Amino acid sequence: MNAATDRLQATWSDPPGFIGWLTTVDHKRVARRYIATALGFFVLAGLLALAMRTQLAVSENSLIGPDLYNQMFSLHGSAMMFLFAVPVMEAVAVYVVPLMVGTRNISFPRLNAFSYWVYLFGGIMIFVAFFMDVGPEAGWSGYVPLSSSDFSPGKRTDFWAQMITFTEVAALCVAVEIIATVMTMRAPGMTLARIPLFVWAMLVTSFMIVFAMPAVMLSSSFLISDRLVGTQFYNAAEGGDPLLWQHLFWFFGHPEVYIIFMPALGMISSIVETFARRPIFGYVPMVLALVATGFLAFGLWVHHMFATGLPPMGNSFYTAASMLIAVPAGVQIFCWIATLATGRLHLRVALLHVIGFFALFVLGGLTGVMLASVPLDLQVHDTYFVVAHFHYVLIGGAVFPLVGALYYWFPKISGRMLSERMGRWQFWLFFVGFNVTFFPMHYLGLIGMPRRVYTYPAGMGWDLYNFISTVGSYMIAASVLLLVINIARSLRKGEAAPADPWGSPDLSWAVSSPPPSYNFAHIPVVTGRHPLWADDNATPEPRLPVAEGVREDRREVLLTTPVDATPCCRWALPDPSIWPFWSALAITVLFVWSIFDQWGIVWGAIPLAITLTIWFWPKRSDPSLKHDEDEHTDEGRDDGEPRHAA
């Protein structure tokens, strides 16, 4: 047994030192970088928000000028949406999904490493641009003609549009990896009816990303093309159509809200099931609700465009669709409440954040139904009412569950426990601060305060509510600081975490904390929906059956069929490589070069083609390409030659 694990450790470990750091394709290391980077961008974007709230605390404040304020709110929104919310949700999935489905790495591990470098370089680029006074200035939605060359001269919007392309390339890569992992690498016996709800949520989210992200990549490419090479996609004077931007952007933009929100639903299901000490109530309706939400999310984009003068019949359809999507959301909330009501609650900090989610998301959902009504939407369009709704849905609906998930999975990721006492302080500071910040914005919007203004005159009746909101924003900042201190303290001297500190039911808790480089010494075999529970009372399962036959001397995984998870063949995953890094660097050069010169696309494509060619060129020096001498596994059939996933 020790000799076998030693061989696995030697096979799956990264090279030592800096080279190993650059070349790693271990999904856990890449995911940790993703999470840390996304949280870094979250802090930077939060500091921008704090500065903006300070500016708005009193009327006629001159602390921040209009030009800088435009850049700050544009970068705040862009960073939160493109550099934090989507990437951090995918990052958690990159870490957890392979463990939950019982495999040794994510599918396409080199593509995974490539996606991280692209994401990192894109995020650094936009913040460097901001500090050089070339930050975005047309809002996170970049409406034309405001973002056209006539109203946004210079390179600010060009950097913003390329940042979109960077992050969407990364998001699409991760979505493809997750889909392939879930559909082909599940442990034997993990049929579709036994997949954990978080995995279901990530599978639906990944398909949404595949269908939604190309729309925003297309829209931003059209914008760059209009600005740099003189096409006229959005120029009405030359036959273009400014509304095309809104259609393309919101065809992506509204599903993106659910792309951020759906992983949070999966996190909640994992936390609720564990701390209620019973299986989730209504597993099948929960899965159907996730799938229904994924479909309906693509039918709502026009409710962002009620003020553009679209035909009333069209508006009515999208009003109905916007209200209809509340049904699957309601089904899930009722299922969670039923699970908690009939379970044996362990009120840990992770569960506290879920309970906070219930209160905040229901309020955000109710204002969403209000905004789906055309007459009300026209009255409060582009006011602080929309800002309040938006933050209740995204912070209440996604960030609260995310922080809860951080408390839940931190022991697995780091091998250390977070402090529960500091966590409770952090939760209450966050919950109270959030409501103090954003609830008054509902009233500010109803009395007419528009969003995206850098100051306002005295005597409008807005001063008190803005001041209260600013006080609340500092409470949120204190909460985030407390969370950072808790993490830093726990990493240094926190209590060591056992393999399963919570008594959880899924496979990710069957391995040590943190997991070894190879995840599982033997591929587990799943015989029920909760592999680590012997019964519905959450009694620990004493013995987990495993499959034999997967080689230890190369990075081999077991592939299974998409529906029944029957073993079908062994598959060799690639070893660490430097070429994903160089390819990401080459694509960064191409993107940035193209901002200043259209010929940058042509000349920049040359190093990119070279790096990609070397990356994909088969190399006999790659240990995982060694000839497979053992043709068959004990559980299934091998189809002959070894396979190699890029």
Side-chain angles (χ1 to χ4, degrees):
M1 180 66 181
N2 288 335
T5 54
D6 287 346
R7 284 196 296 274
L8 282 169
Q9 186 67 30
T11 301
W12 288 86
S13 293
D14 294 319
F18 183 65
I19 294 299
W21 187 84
L22 275 181
T23 61
T24 183
V25 293
D26 184 340
H27 73 100
K28 300 180 290 299
R29 293 188 75 180
V30 175
R32 286 199 298 268
R33 291 175 189 176
Y34 252 119
I35 294 171
T37 307
L39 292 179
F41 287 135
F42 171 74
V43 170
L44 290 174
L47 290 174
L48 293 175
L50 201 60
M52 289 187 291
R53 284 309 325 164
T54 305
Q55 163 69 15
L56 295 173
V58 296
S59 57
E60 299 177 358
N61 197 353
S62 58
L63 179 67
I64 300 174
D67 180 64
L68 179 59
Y69 191 89
N70 274 353
Q71 292 186 65
M72 293 175 77
F73 82 71
S74 299
L75 183 56
H76 165 74
S78 302
M80 284 296 190
M81 297 298 287
F82 296 108
L83 298 177
F84 165 66
V86 175
V88 79
M89 294 299 184
E90 289 193 320
V92 173
V94 167
Y95 193 99
V96 173
V97 166
L99 292 169
M100 275 190 166
V101 302
T103 188
R104 287 176 173 165
N105 203 347
I106 197 166
S107 185
F108 308 117
R110 287 183 181 174
L111 187 66
N112 191 36
F114 169 79
S115 73
Y116 170 73
W117 294 119
V118 170
Y119 158 69
L120 176 67
F121 295 151
I124 290 174
M125 180 202 71
I126 196 67
F127 272 97
V128 169
F130 171 74
F131 289 118
M132 296 176 69
D133 196 28
V134 201
E137 60 182 357
W140 81 272
S141 52
Y143 275 10
V144 293
L146 184 62
S147 58
S148 67
S149 299
D150 292 337
F151 298 95
S152 179
K155 297 298 180 185
R156 289 177 173 178
T157 298
D158 299 312
F159 272 101
W160 175 81
Q162 283 298 41
M163 185 274 291
I164 301 293
T165 311
F166 269 107
T167 55
E168 304 316 322
V169 167
L172 280 167
C173 291
V174 176
V176 169
E177 297 156 16
I178 291 173
I179 291 172
T181 303
V182 175
M183 298 308 293
T184 65
M185 296 174 68
R186 302 196 309 273
M190 185 179 283
T191 64
L192 289 180
R194 293 172 178 171
I195 295 179
L197 284 170
F198 178 73
V199 178
W200 264 116
M202 286 313 306
L203 182 63
V204 175
T205 302
S206 299
F207 275 112
M208 292 177 69
I209 289 173
V210 168
F211 286 105
M213 293 294 182
V216 74
M217 289 182 69
L218 189 65
S219 61
S220 63
S221 299
F222 283 174
L223 179 63
I224 294 171
S225 178
D226 275 10
R227 293 176 59 88
L228 298 180
V229 298
T231 55
Q232 308 293 341
F233 289 106
Y234 303 125
N235 186 355
E238 298 293 338
D241 187 356
L243 274 187
L244 175 62
W245 170 268
Q246 293 197 35
H247 280 294
L248 287 173
F249 186 85
W250 288 118
F251 184 80
F252 142 81
H254 198 85
E256 195 199 20
V257 173
Y258 293 90
I259 287 168
I260 295 167
F261 170 59
M262 297 273 278
L265 302 182
M267 294 170 181
I268 292 168
S269 294
S270 294
I271 295 170
V272 165
E273 196 167 51
T274 295
F275 294 111
R277 315 301 299 155
R278 57 149 293 172
I280 203 82
F281 179 85
Y283 174 87
V284 173
M286 291 284 281
V287 173
L288 294 176
L290 287 170
V291 176
T293 303
F295 274 109
L296 291 173
F298 283 91
L300 312 182
W301 83 91
V302 171
H303 85 206
H304 294 272
M305 300 170 60
F306 284 156
T308 59
L310 295 174
M313 179 61 76
N315 287 344
S316 302
F317 172 78
Y318 289 101
T319 292
S322 302
M323 293 183 177
L324 186 62
I325 203 166
V327 175
V331 167
Q332 291 175 86
I333 288 179
F334 282 123
C335 287
W336 289 321
I337 291 175
T339 306
L340 292 172
T342 55
R344 293 170 286 131
L345 296 189
H346 290 205
L347 200 57
R348 309 300 288 261
V349 174
L351 189 57
L352 273 180
H353 284 83
V354 170
I355 294 172
F357 154 87
F358 289 144
L360 302 179
F361 180 71
V362 168
L363 184 54
L366 288 175
T367 54
V369 173
M370 293 167 67
L371 287 170
S373 170
V374 177
L376 182 78
D377 183 86
L378 292 177
Q379 288 296 318
V380 298
H381 183 75
D382 263 349
T383 70
Y384 262 85
F385 189 90
V386 177
V387 177
H389 158 71
F390 191 67
H391 285 83
Y392 264 87
V393 170
L394 284 182
I395 296 183
V399 178
F400 267 78
L402 175 68
V403 177
L406 186 61
Y407 280 93
Y408 180 62
W409 276 309
F410 187 84
K412 179 56 60 184
I413 295 172
S414 68
R416 300 282 180 178
M417 304 294 291
L418 284 170
S419 165
E420 286 280 314
R421 174 182 289 185
M422 292 181 71
R424 291 177 191 278
W425 277 101
Q426 177 269 319
F427 166 76
W428 286 111
L429 207 52
F430 192 20
F431 186 79
V432 174
F434 174 83
N435 284 288
V436 171
T437 303
F438 292 105
F439 195 83
M441 292 184 187
H442 291 102
Y443 189 67
L444 276 172
L446 291 174
I447 62 177
M449 181 171 177
R451 63 196 292 198
R452 297 171 175 171
V453 291
Y454 85 102
T455 188
Y456 51 91
M460 300 292 290
W462 301 344
D463 301 59
L464 176 62
Y465 301 103
N466 272 302
F467 182 77
I468 293 172
S469 283
T470 302
V471 171
S473 67
Y474 277 86
M475 293 175 70
I476 294 176
S479 168
V480 174
L481 179 62
L482 200 56
L483 177 61
V484 171
I485 293 172
N486 195 358
I487 291 173
R489 175 185 169 280
S490 298
L491 287 175
R492 285 190 59 197
K493 55 181 182 181
E495 177 189 350
D500 188 2
W502 314 120
S504 305
D506 66 76
L507 289 176
S508 64
W509 303 96
V511 296
S512 62
S513 302
S517 57
Y518 48 86
N519 289 353
F520 298 90
H522 298 283
I523 302 302
V525 174
V526 175
T527 57
R529 194 171 288 162
H530 305 99
L532 302 191
W533 284 354
D535 54 38
D536 288 348
N537 293 317
T539 305
E541 173 62 56
R543 182 178 176 83
L544 183 65
V546 297
E548 302 283 352
V550 179
R551 286 174 57 163
E552 298 152 356
D553 59 346
R554 68 174 190 173
R555 296 182 173 226
E556 192 169 87
V557 295
L558 185 63
L559 298 191
T560 53
T561 55
V563 176
D564 296 329
T566 302
C568 58
C569 66
R570 296 174 297 163
W571 192 270
L573 294 180
D575 297 286
S577 169
I578 192 66
W579 292 105
F581 171 80
W582 288 121
S583 299
L585 199 59
I587 204 170
T588 301
V589 171
L590 186 153
F591 284 165
V592 175
W593 195 347
S594 68
I595 293 174
F596 298 96
D597 183 357
Q598 57 267 41
W599 283 99
I601 297 174
V602 177
W603 299 117
I606 296 173
L608 178 61
I610 293 172
T611 54
L612 289 176
T613 301
I614 298 175
W615 173 359
F616 288 104
W617 199 269
K619 306 173 190 64
R620 292 194 177 277
S621 59
D622 195 335
S624 286
L625 283 179
K626 287 190 302 184
H627 184 69
D628 183 4
E629 296 177 351
D630 302 323
E631 296 294 333
H632 301 281
T633 66
D634 294 343
E635 294 70 35
R637 57 184 172 76
D638 191 327
D639 59 355
E641 292 299 314
R643 302 299 181 85
H644 192 290

